């Protein structure tokens, strides 16, 4: 089965940068799209960015557009989220998710990695 493992979270000052990684392993041959979501305490999970498994068609939530960049490696084993110009409101647990054998739902999720942005 597929496993998604996030890393790269931490504490950073406002205006700083972090790069999150999502390492995928297992049966990913039927993967369609990979995305990042985030969830702050007491709030609903929200979409951040997504990319097709082949690296094409990246798109972003308006709140992060121009600041965050989603990308994948050539081996299609790792998806990254480069976060620049971080704001305190970016503080959340960030989750990697994938559509595998699905074109309509993110049915595989990582464990999440905490990102905290201080003022």
């Amino acid at each position: 089965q597929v496993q998604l493992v996030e890393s790269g979270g931490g504490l950073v000052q406002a205006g700083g940068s972090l790069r999150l990684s999502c390492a995928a392993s297992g049966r990913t041959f039927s993967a369609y799209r990979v995305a990042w979501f985030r969830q702050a305490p007491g709030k609903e999970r929200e979409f951040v960015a997504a990319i097709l498994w082949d690296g094409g068609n990246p798109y972003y939530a308006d709140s992060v557009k121009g600041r965050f960049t989603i990308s994948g490696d050539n081996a299609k084993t790792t998806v990254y989220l480069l976060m620049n110009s971080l704001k305190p409101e970016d503080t959340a647990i960030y989750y990697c998710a994938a559509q595998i054998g699905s074109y309509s739902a993110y049915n595989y999720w990582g464990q999440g990695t905490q990102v905290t942005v201080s003022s």
Side-chain angles (χ1 to χ4, degrees):
Q1 296 296 321
V2 173
Q3 292 185 345
L4 303 175
V5 180
E6 301 99 330
S7 62
L11 175 64
V12 65
Q13 292 182 330
S17 299
L18 284 174
R19 189 181 73 164
L20 306 183
S21 298
C22 174
S25 62
R27 298 180 179 271
T28 62
F29 59 87
S30 61
Y32 172 62
R33 187 163 57 188
V34 184
W36 289 94
F37 292 79
R38 66 187 182 187
Q39 186 170 22
K43 301 186 67 175
E44 294 186 349
R45 185 169 55 206
E46 65 175 346
F47 169 80
V48 176
I51 193 170
L52 296 179
W53 191 248
D54 65 3
N57 195 31
Y59 65 99
Y60 304 89
D62 289 340
S63 59
V64 306
K65 191 174 299 181
R67 299 188 296 122
F68 292 9
T69 302
I70 187 171
S71 62
D73 65 3
N74 291 332
K76 301 179 181 179
T77 58
T78 306
V79 176
Y80 304 98
L81 184 69
L82 176 61
M83 306 183 295
N84 293 321
S85 302
L86 283 163
K87 305 174 181 179
E89 50 263 44
D90 294 319
T91 295
I93 300 175
Y94 283 71
Y95 297 92
C96 176
Q99 294 177 343
I100 300 176
S102 172
Y103 291 91
S104 61
Y106 290 96
N107 52 349
Y108 287 86
W109 295 81
Q111 82 289 346
T113 185
Q114 176 70 48
V115 172
T116 303
V117 184
S118 62
S119 300

